[in-house]
């Protein structure tokens, strides 16, 4: 195991960061989409069959980190879920056109329903003549007016399926979550309705934890963890910069241990997050099992980033709650990002069950 | 970044497992287990170490001329992991090889290396660290022990406390003051003191942990000038370099993993409720992260000096995690570790871990000092957009 920083990924990170620097912050991801598309960012981690460069999940994570670092709307991870589900699809496959458009940077996809569907308590969709009838409202982050939705739903037999639904199916909620600032994407709702079997693009398997035969959920979790890691790093950098410049009691605020130590602790937790996230991505790229590592990378990063953002807002004083201080965006964005794929507690329980199973498998192997 | 195992690492691990099965090593391990079971808190590990050292596995990263195999720091870390997982208590090895030995490799003169390293690598000689004094802990640069010139050498005087394993050691890496300067960081010198010399008195200070603290009195102990490391009065910069080497976190990460595995061994999916499962997942990831952070700092070792901030991050997380796991284990397994039918051997591991845990966040630099180091590395003026280490991937 040699964990020296990877120069190729560092270069990609630098390129993406430079490219995104032009994108305006705010809930509308149009500028982010344009900036990322400009540098072919959607193609980096996608398969060659889809017109991508096949640089792997580690590269996809790196892009997600850079989006998070500036709390830009997540115009990326949902599309990559679709691209993962259809890596070799011919033109005929359902959703293939969407996957191709994603990789070309022409289509944003937002994922929905993964929290409920993975927790296992989602009401099953009723079979209907053309496919299924979605029984409940799904919420999505409204990051782009023409975003398609990649919806996870539980079929009657317990299998969790992914379907791509067009932009026309969802609508902004009547009351956006953050009407006062407008810096975080508002949730929108996908109304209960028909899903045609032709819209289904993949399966996350069945059972608890989900069998996830193609690793789609695990890959999506790792990218989400990357986005959260970026949010943590970005908020932390803002807090350090603010506390290093603000003077009270004739010294910099950062010169007090009560301010510096929580930020130091956050930095340590984020460094651990970085390694957990990139380990999961590396395992995926190496073709090794990585389901537990993916769940843990996401749960760890979600918790650490929530704490880091809170600490970072505190270090800003009252200014941190104002629209003038960019840290407030992180506070708004992190809540949805930390729970979109299920609350960390559920992920930890899943990881423990996997660990206990591994433990007993190892014991059984030794005994045999 | 490569999270996989190299062929060389895999080969060395397999070899270590073989060595652990050889009769001399197995016998020494059994003898240690017997002594522990009989209630000895600090049985003599030296016979075991010598049996392992006979295979040149004790200081594997050192050059062959000094008794090592010249393998990389990463490969040597794989050897240590495998030895510890196989039951080797590591404290004296950490002190002799991973701290004093590595320090000598970095900062010793050719003559010093030739004199001490082969003996340390073969387990013929052991070394300990003598920094802390009754009045001087975190603020090490304020140390008071002295060395004054006397003929061809120096005479050392002072009291060193809270070291470990001095009783089983032959030399001590000792920080003393040879002069004063405009700041307290000047005038500090480092010597390799023969612990068998006249004027050295070694004693114990009882502590909660199995490993007892030492008190080493130096009463005008004469040492030759050839035991001075680096230049006289310029020990502080050597010290700061050496302190980073102590902080890769590998030893702490192994304790965290050992205690976590012991805790989990008494659980099943059927007997753990949701709250317990949640903790088991969370601590499991923290233990994994501890190993990754330790390997992250070891990955730097071969490429130049170890960045003190990375080392502080690794030291903080690994030691805090190990300590938390030891406390958690006590809660999970309840009074006398008897709540869930834990095997007696595992219960003993966790019981000792509970008493060892508090020392981990103090030794080799306290957690507070690690946070200070991390905070002092914050890239203050141009952190936004600056490459800094924000771009490390
Ligand atoms: C298991 C173990 C093994 C050890 N092995 C060795 C060894 O081999 N050789 C050796 O020389 N020493 C050894 N030590 C001693 C160790 O290095 C010291 O305990 C350590 O340096 C702290 O010093 P102290 O105990 O005097 O605490 P103090 O320095 O008195 O500190 C007391 C508390 O105050 C905190 N504190 C101090 N200053 C600050 C500050 N500026 N800001 C915030 N908090 C602060 C500390 O973190 C600590 O929590 C060992 C200790 C232990 C527990």
């Amino acid at each position: 195991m040699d964990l020296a920083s990877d120069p190729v990924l560092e270069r990609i990170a630098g390129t993406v960061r430079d490219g995104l620097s032009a994108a305006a912050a705010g809930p509308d991801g149009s500028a982010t989409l344009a900036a990322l598309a400009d540098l072919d960012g959607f193609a980096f981690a996608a398969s060659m069959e889809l017109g991508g460069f096949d640089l792997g999940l580690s590269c996809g994570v790196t892009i997600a980190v850079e989006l998070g670092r500036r709390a830009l709307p997540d115009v990326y991870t949902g599309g990559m879920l679709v691209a993962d589900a259809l890596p070799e699809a011919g033109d005929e496959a359902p959703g293939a056109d969407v996957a191709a458009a994603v990789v070309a940077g022409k289509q944003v996809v937002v994922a929905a329903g993964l929290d409920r569907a993975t927790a296992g308590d989602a009401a099953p969709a009723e079979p209907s003549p053309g496919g299924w009838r979605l029984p409940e409202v799904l919420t999505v982050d409204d990051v782009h007016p023409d975003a398609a939705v990649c919806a996870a739903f539980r079929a009657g037999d317990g299998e969790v399926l992914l379907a791509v639904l067009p932009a026309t199916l969802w609508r902004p909620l009547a009351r956006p979550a953050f009407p006062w600032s407008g810096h975080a994407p508002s949730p929108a709702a996908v109304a209960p309705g028909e899903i045609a079997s032709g819209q289904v693009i993949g399966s996350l398997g069945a059972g608890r934890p989900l069998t996830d035969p193609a690793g789609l959920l695990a890959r999506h979790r790792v990218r989400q963890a990357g986005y959260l890691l970026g949010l943590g790093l970005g908020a932390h950098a803002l807090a350090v910069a603010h506390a290093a410049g603000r003077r009270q009691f004739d010294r910099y605020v950062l010169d007090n241990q009560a301010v510096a130590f929580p930020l130091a602790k956050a930095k340590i937790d984020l460094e651990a997050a970085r390694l957990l996230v990139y380990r999961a991505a590396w395992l995926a790229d190496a073709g090794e099992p990585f389901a537990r590592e993916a769940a843990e990378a996401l749960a760890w990063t979600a918790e650490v980033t929530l704490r880091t953002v809170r600490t970072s807002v505190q270090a800003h004083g009252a200014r941190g709650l104002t629209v003038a201080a960019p840290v407030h965006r992180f506070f708004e964005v992190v809540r949805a990002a930390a729970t979109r794929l299920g609350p960390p507690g559920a992920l930890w329980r899943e990881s423990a069950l996997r660990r206990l199973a591994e433990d007993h498998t190892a014991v059984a192997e030794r005994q045999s | 970044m490569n999270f996989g195992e190299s062929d060389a690492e895999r080969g060395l691990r397999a070899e270590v497992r073989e060595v652990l099965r050889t009769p001399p090593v197995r016998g020494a391990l059994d003898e240690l287990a017997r002594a522990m079971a009989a209630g000895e808190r600090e049985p003599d590990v030296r016979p075991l170490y010598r049996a392992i050292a006979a295979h040149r596995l004790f200081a594997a990263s050192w050059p062959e001329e000094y008794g090592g195999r010249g393998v990389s720091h990463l490969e040597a870390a794989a050897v240590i992991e495998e030895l510890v997982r196989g039951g080797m208590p590591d404290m004296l090895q950490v002190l002799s090889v991973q701290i004093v030995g590595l320090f000598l490799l970095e900062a010793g003169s050719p003559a010093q290396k030739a004199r001490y390293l082969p003996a340390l690598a073969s387990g013929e000689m052991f070394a300990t660290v003598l920094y802390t004094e009754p009045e001087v802990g975190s603020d090490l640069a304020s140390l008071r022990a002295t060395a004054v010139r006397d003929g061809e050498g120096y005479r050392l005087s002072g009291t060193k406390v809270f070291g470990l394993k001095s009783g089983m050691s032959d030399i001590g890496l000792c920080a003393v003051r040879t002069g004063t300067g405009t700041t307290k960081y000047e005038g500090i010198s480092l010597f390799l003191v023969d612990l068998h010399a006249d004027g050295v008195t070694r004693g114990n200070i009882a502590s909660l942990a199995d490993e007892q603290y030492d008190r080493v009195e130096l009463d005008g102990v004469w040492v030759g000038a050839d035991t001075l490391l680096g230049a006289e009065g310029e020990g502080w910069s050597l010290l700061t370099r050496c302190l980073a080497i102590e902080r890769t976190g590998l030893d702490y990460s192994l304790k965290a993993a050992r205690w976590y595995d012991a805790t989990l061994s008494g659980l099943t999916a059927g007997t753990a409720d949701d709250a317990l499962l949640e903790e088991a997942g969370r601590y499991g990831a923290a233990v994994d992260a501890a190993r990754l952070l330790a390997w992250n700092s070891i990955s730097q070792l071969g490429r130049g000096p170890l960045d003190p901030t990375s080392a502080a991050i690794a030291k903080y997380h690994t030691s805090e995690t190990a300590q938390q796991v030891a406390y958690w284990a006590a809660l999970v397994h309840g009074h006398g570790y008897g709540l869930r039918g834990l095997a007696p051997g595992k219960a003993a591991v966790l019981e000792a871990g509970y008493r060892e845990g508090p020392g981990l966040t103090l030794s080799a630099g306290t957690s507070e000092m690690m946070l200070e180091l991390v905070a002092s590395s914050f890239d203050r003026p141009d952190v936004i957009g600056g490459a800094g280490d924000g771009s490390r991937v």
Side-chain angles (χ1 to χ4, degrees):
Chain A
M1 196 157 61
D2 185 347
L3 304 186
S5 181
D6 186 328
V8 176
L9 287 179
E10 268 181 25
R11 258 203 311 283
I12 292 172
T15 306
V16 174
R17 192 179 316 174
D18 288 349
L20 290 176
S21 63
D28 180 356
S30 300
T32 306
L33 169 69
L36 197 52
D38 243 17
L39 51 95
D40 260 350
F42 291 93
F44 286 179
S47 70
M48 297 215 188
E49 286 79 357
L50 285 174
F53 308 141
D54 218 358
L55 295 177
L57 186 57
S58 304
C59 171
V61 163
T62 301
I63 293 170
V65 169
E66 294 309 322
L67 286 168
R69 204 189 285 275
R70 286 194 48 226
L72 294 170
D74 176 10
V75 296
Y76 182 68
T77 61
M80 288 301 114
L81 175 60
V82 174
D84 276 349
L86 301 164
E88 297 170 57
D91 289 344
E92 304 303 307
D97 50 339
V98 177
V102 163
V103 176
K106 297 193 169 109
Q107 174 71 60
V108 173
V109 179
V110 285
L114 282 159
D115 47 354
R116 297 296 304 278
T118 54
D121 59 355
E126 308 232 334
S128 71
W132 296 266
R133 194 170 166 74
L134 207 57
E136 54 191 357
V137 169
L138 301 179
T139 56
V140 298
D141 285 335
D142 177 10
V143 298
H144 193 269
D146 300 321
V149 172
C150 181
F153 68 97
R154 197 166 277 270
D157 57 1
E159 186 177 13
V160 173
L161 299 173
L162 293 175
V164 173
L165 312 175
T168 47
L169 252 182
W170 62 266
R171 55 185 164 69
L173 292 173
R175 208 167 62 80
F178 301 108
W180 55 91
S181 81
H183 275 90
S186 306
V190 178
E194 291 289 327
I195 293 179
S197 43
Q199 290 170 320
V200 170
I201 61 162
S203 165
L204 303 183
R208 276 187 91 174
L210 287 172
T211 48
D212 192 20
L216 298 176
L217 175 63
R219 292 172 68 83
H220 192 60
R221 283 175 169 173
V222 181
R223 277 187 294 261
Q224 182 71 17
Y227 182 65
L228 281 157
L229 172 60
L231 287 174
L233 292 170
H236 189 269
L238 291 170
V240 167
H242 176 80
R246 168 87 174 155
R247 288 180 77 82
Q248 288 293 292
F249 299 101
D250 296 325
R251 58 181 182 268
Y252 292 108
V253 162
L254 189 57
D255 291 335
N256 299 293
Q257 287 185 342
V259 177
F261 279 13
L263 288 170
K265 174 81 174 71
K267 172 148 178 133
I268 293 167
D269 290 342
L270 288 168
E271 179 66 352
R274 180 179 74 86
L275 292 168
L276 290 173
V277 171
Y278 277 98
R279 174 182 64 163
W282 188 92
L283 288 171
D285 290 338
E288 304 276 344
F290 70 111
R292 171 174 68 72
E293 287 82 355
E296 291 182 358
L298 177 56
W300 178 273
T301 311
E303 290 187 342
V304 160
T305 295
L306 278 167
R307 274 203 303 274
T308 300
V309 170
R310 197 209 88 79
T311 302
S312 301
V313 169
Q314 176 75 10
H316 276 77
R319 278 164 196 74
L321 310 181
T322 67
V323 176
V327 76
H328 88 276
R329 281 206 309 276
F330 291 79
F331 187 75
E332 292 181 333
V333 172
V334 72
R335 172 169 55 179
T339 53
R340 190 178 288 138
L341 305 189
L347 293 164
W348 287 134
R349 290 194 291 280
E350 176 186 326
S351 105
L353 290 173
R354 289 183 186 276
R355 279 180 183 272
L356 286 169
E358 283 168 21
D359 206 34
H360 294 129
T361 314
V363 171
E365 272 166 15
R366 269 202 303 280
Q367 283 167 351
S368 64
Chain B
M1 274 191 287
N2 183 343
F3 290 85
E5 201 156 73
S6 70
D7 288 344
E9 282 166 34
R10 204 171 299 122
L12 280 165
R13 284 184 197 276
E15 187 185 338
V16 172
R17 286 195 292 270
E18 279 296 309
V19 165
L20 287 168
R21 281 195 286 270
T22 58
V25 176
R26 192 65 258 162
L29 278 169
D30 290 345
E31 178 53 28
L32 271 185
R34 191 205 51 73
M36 305 269 283
E40 263 185 64
R41 291 172 85 179
E42 264 187 292
D44 190 355
V45 289
R46 288 173 292 185
L48 170 66
Y49 284 8
R50 289 185 188 118
I52 293 166
H55 299 266
R56 285 184 170 252
L57 285 168
F58 204 51
S61 67
W62 297 3
E64 290 187 24
E65 58 177 314
Y66 299 136
R69 294 191 179 198
V71 304
S72 70
H73 289 284
L74 292 165
E75 287 153 19
V79 169
I80 296 299
E81 275 196 346
E82 220 51 51
L83 286 171
V84 173
R85 285 175 188 165
M88 181 188 87
D90 67 348
M91 183 57 78
L92 187 55
Q93 198 273 347
V94 168
L95 285 162
S96 285
V97 174
Q98 297 185 46
I99 298 178
V100 178
L102 271 189
F103 188 85
L104 264 166
L105 261 181
E106 282 235 350
S109 66
Q112 287 168 334
K113 290 183 191 176
R115 179 169 162 199
Y116 296 110
L117 291 178
L120 290 171
S122 66
E124 215 176 289
M125 185 186 264
F126 292 92
T128 188
V129 176
L130 304 175
Y131 296 157
T132 308
E133 300 176 5
E135 301 301 325
V136 181
S138 305
D139 184 12
L140 184 54
S142 298
L143 59 86
R144 298 169 179 193
T146 56
V148 289
R149 282 244 174 218
D150 182 8
E152 293 296 292
Y154 298 80
R155 284 206 179 269
L156 270 54
S157 300
T159 303
K160 295 291 182 179
V161 290
F162 302 146
L164 300 177
K165 302 289 183 199
S166 302
M168 290 181 202
S169 298
D170 306 287
I171 53 171
L173 172 58
C174 186
V176 293
R177 190 163 286 290
T178 43
T180 48
T182 46
T183 72
K184 62 185 177 185
Y185 303 102
E186 293 165 43
I188 291 173
S189 300
L190 294 166
F191 289 91
L192 288 164
V193 184
D194 176 359
L195 294 177
H196 306 291
D198 287 344
V200 176
T201 314
R202 291 179 266 181
N204 278 142
I205 306 169
S207 105
L208 286 177
D210 281 347
E211 264 143 353
Q212 300 298 289
Y213 291 133
D214 301 325
R215 179 181 179 94
V216 178
E217 302 278 358
L218 304 168
D219 185 8
V221 180
W222 193 85
V223 296
D226 58 350
T227 63
L228 173 67
L229 275 162
E232 183 182 316
E234 290 174 18
W236 185 252
S237 63
L238 288 183
L239 255 179
T240 42
R241 214 158 85 201
C242 180
L243 288 174
I245 294 173
E246 283 186 36
R247 295 173 184 156
T248 62
L250 182 66
D251 44 347
Y252 302 99
S253 76
L254 287 164
K255 288 183 205 297
R258 184 152 181 257
W259 297 340
Y260 179 77
D261 290 346
T263 311
L264 222 59
S265 72
L267 302 183
T268 63
T271 57
D273 60 21
D274 275 2
L276 186 49
L277 284 176
E278 209 167 310
E279 289 175 336
R282 196 178 280 113
Y283 282 119
V287 170
D288 278 17
R291 178 165 187 251
L292 295 174
L293 286 166
W295 280 75
N296 186 49
S297 42
I298 294 162
S299 301
Q300 289 180 20
L301 268 181
R303 295 181 162 84
L306 174 55
D307 163 34
T309 310
S310 292
I313 287 173
K315 161 68 182 51
Y316 182 95
H317 178 89
T318 55
S319 61
E320 289 282 337
T321 298
Q323 186 183 87
Q324 283 169 25
V325 169
Y327 293 167
W328 176 61
L331 301 180
V332 170
H333 288 289
H335 184 61
Y337 296 87
L339 195 60
R340 295 170 190 272
L342 199 60
K346 303 284 185 196
V349 164
L350 294 176
E351 194 283 323
Y354 180 81
R355 289 180 287 107
E356 186 178 0
L360 304 185
T361 53
L362 295 168
S363 57
T366 67
S367 285
E368 289 76 14
M369 291 303 105
M370 298 306 101
L371 292 175
E372 274 282 339
L373 274 168
V374 174
S376 67
S377 77
F378 286 151
D379 187 5
R380 291 181 163 215
D382 57 359
V383 66
I384 301 176
D389 62 8
S391 60
R392 291 194 64 221
V393 279

